[in-house]
Amino acid sequence: MHEFFKVKKVSEVLSEIKQFESLPKERVFLLEALGRFLAEDLSSPEDLPPFSRATMDGYAVSAKDTFGARETEPVILKVIGEILMGEKPRFSLRPGEAARIATGGMLPEGADAVVMVEYTEENLGLVEIKKPVAPYENIIQQGEDFKKGQIVFARGTKITPAVIGVMAGLGITNIPVRKKPRVAILSTGDELIPPEKPIEPGKIRDINSYSLFAAIKEAGGEPKIYGIVPDVAEELFERLKVAFEENDVVLISGGSSVGTRDYTLKAISQLPGAQLICHGVAVKPGKPTILGKVQEKAIFGLPGQVASALLIFYLMVRPLLLHLQGANEKHLFLKKILAYAERNIPSAPGREDYIRVKLTPFEKGFTATPIFKKSGLISSMAEADGFLRIPESSEGIYEGELAEVFLLP
């Protein structure tokens, strides 16, 4: 890995990220699958629902027997029984017959609709039907949700509470997913101290390790903090070797900009087979980002500034972590909306700008108010609802202009 500068556009880096291989498959129990991504297409082993059932309390009927029924001229049907919940009917309907049924009850053979109880009156084994029903009215048919053999969810689908509900309904409890990526976090800098220690002159508490830890958890990864690494090349390399062996992705915050203490690139280059994907991204903030590839593992050198480090995480690291978990394309990136710029926001052509913004709803949608704070201030991220993107070909966004805003999780 001999190249020092290898600046790329954000889109180029994202293309490179998709070349990493997804992690191996594993199977987890249904209740452990929330937030994971299917590693295989999932087919229905049976019909859902498994039988046709009522969606209203009333009478199971053949719809054609009710045609012409009116309040003043009801249709009279013979009641031949009652369908109990959780039981298969022991009879079938013939023309001119009906059966009492509760919501969720199984329709008997010969029935194709349910008349709501409000439009009926029963007396001496006969029921007056005062309103007609159409075929399949007030029922759910067998297999109406899913047919046996149908692909229910495609590979890469995110497992949500509703998806879990479907799988439970189909009796699918052993779920194929990709393993969670293990992610190491190293923070570099002689000025850093752990958050639990009292502050000292010239020192600052380590923010990046903890904000990145939380961001990795949100993205479905398994983070591990490897502590603060002093600005000593040999120590960084030794700590990196351990983190690399134990994890799928390594994040090194700080030490990625040009300077006498830039040891990140050197440490990555010492790993056997290391390839440089980029050293520098045409984006603000976050230009000095490094991405290396070693034996199908990714190593990021993130900016030391807290807002810059989190922006690069959301733009590049988070998509990689989701890709490794087998997420499909639509799940890789932050959700985005269009919002109206609250004021003019200048930019320099040749790079993408991501401006931290607060969103305010109004009758036409949302306004985006820029948060103009330095990237070393974590408060700008805590206040932000998202990032407003200014394309590399633009000199800025005008007041009242619609712009893309990527929503923070």
Side-chain angles (χ1 to χ4, degrees):
M1 190 169 71
H2 60 277
E3 304 101 328
F4 189 71
F5 288 108
K6 201 170 186 179
V7 178
K8 292 196 172 183
K9 299 177 181 178
V10 173
S11 58
E12 292 174 326
V13 177
L14 292 175
S15 294
E16 295 281 358
I17 280 171
K18 293 175 187 177
Q19 303 310 309
F20 284 85
E21 292 185 10
S22 297
L23 293 174
K25 297 178 185 179
E26 64 178 358
R27 287 186 173 268
V28 298
F29 179 61
L30 182 60
L31 293 180
E32 300 168 350
L34 184 65
R36 308 289 290 271
F37 297 88
L38 286 174
E40 303 168 4
D41 291 346
L42 208 61
S43 297
S44 177
E46 58 193 43
D47 289 338
L48 184 67
F51 57 85
S52 296
R53 57 192 179 93
T55 59
M56 296 287 178
D57 294 341
Y59 291 82
V61 297
S62 173
K64 64 183 179 182
D65 284 345
T66 71
F67 293 167
R70 297 195 297 272
E71 182 77 29
T72 56
E73 294 183 42
V75 169
I76 309 297
L77 300 177
K78 181 182 178 182
V79 179
I80 64 167
E82 183 175 3
I83 299 162
L84 300 177
M85 289 292 293
E87 292 187 5
K88 182 179 179 180
R90 296 184 296 275
F91 53 82
S92 57
L93 294 187
R94 292 176 295 183
E97 295 180 339
R100 290 185 293 275
I101 193 168
T103 301
M106 182 177 181
L107 257 68
E109 288 186 33
D112 62 2
V114 170
V115 180
M116 293 171 61
V117 69
E118 293 92 326
Y119 304 113
T120 66
E121 187 173 334
E122 184 178 344
N123 189 31
L124 300 175
L126 299 175
V127 61
E128 294 183 354
I129 307 297
K130 301 177 181 181
K131 184 179 180 180
V133 286
Y136 314 118
E137 188 171 344
N138 299 324
I139 71 168
I140 294 177
Q141 298 181 70
Q142 179 176 340
E144 190 170 326
D145 247 341
F146 299 103
K147 295 287 188 185
K148 183 177 180 179
Q150 173 186 347
I151 292 180
V152 181
F153 300 112
R155 179 182 62 184
T157 297
K158 185 174 184 178
I159 300 172
T160 63
V163 171
I164 284 178
V166 170
M167 293 190 290
L170 291 170
I172 302 171
T173 58
N174 192 17
I175 315 302
V177 295
R178 298 280 176 184
K179 289 187 174 181
K180 292 185 175 185
R182 298 164 299 166
V183 187
I185 305 168
L186 287 74
S187 282
T188 66
D190 292 332
E191 76 282 9
L192 297 178
I193 59 172
E196 66 272 14
K197 288 198 171 182
I199 202 68
E200 303 172 22
K203 301 291 186 180
I204 185 169
R205 292 190 179 96
D206 177 14
I207 295 174
N208 284 2
S209 291
Y210 295 85
S211 57
L212 290 171
F213 186 101
I216 292 163
K217 290 283 283 185
E218 183 279 328
E222 295 183 336
K224 182 177 179 180
I225 294 175
Y226 281 74
I228 297 166
V229 185
D231 289 321
V232 178
E234 293 77 13
E235 277 203 47
L236 175 58
F237 178 64
E238 291 303 316
R239 198 85 61 92
L240 174 59
K241 277 199 304 182
V242 175
F244 171 77
E245 290 298 329
E246 296 178 349
N247 294 273
D248 305 299
V249 178
V250 179
L251 308 182
I252 307 170
S253 72
S256 58
S257 60
V258 178
T260 56
R261 293 189 171 187
D262 184 350
Y263 301 129
T264 301
L265 189 68
K266 181 180 176 182
I268 296 172
S269 68
Q270 288 179 272
L271 294 171
Q275 305 171 45
L276 178 66
I277 292 176
C278 73
H279 183 204
V281 182
V283 65
K284 182 184 178 183
K287 181 180 178 181
T289 299
I290 295 170
L291 174 56
K293 183 177 182 181
V294 187
Q295 301 171 23
E296 284 302 320
K297 296 183 179 183
I299 303 177
F300 282 92
L302 301 179
Q305 301 283 27
V306 290
S308 302
L310 277 176
L311 171 66
I312 295 301
F313 178 90
Y314 287 122
L315 280 185
M316 299 176 190
V317 182
R318 187 176 184 271
L320 172 65
L321 299 185
L322 294 169
H323 168 73
L324 293 177
Q325 295 171 77
N328 61 29
E329 182 80 13
K330 74 174 184 177
H331 293 303
L332 294 183
F333 307 105
L334 295 175
K335 293 181 180 178
K336 62 182 178 181
I337 63 169
L338 292 176
Y340 295 90
E342 183 264 344
R343 53 159 290 177
N344 292 341
I345 307 174
S347 178
R351 71 184 183 204
E352 289 186 35
D353 261 8
Y354 287 84
I355 311 297
R356 288 145 279 170
V357 295
K358 296 181 77 169
L359 295 172
T360 305
F362 76 119
E363 63 273 10
K364 292 184 179 179
F366 291 90
T367 58
T369 303
I371 301 171
F372 289 123
K373 288 187 177 182
K374 295 174 181 177
S375 58
L377 300 176
I378 188 61
S379 61
S380 67
M381 288 297 298
E383 295 170 16
D385 296 311
F387 299 111
L388 182 147
R389 175 179 175 267
I390 304 178
E392 59 180 323
S393 58
S394 174
E395 294 184 353
I397 300 291
Y398 288 103
E399 179 182 348
E401 186 178 350
L402 276 173
E404 283 184 338
V405 176
F406 291 84
L407 302 177
L408 286 167

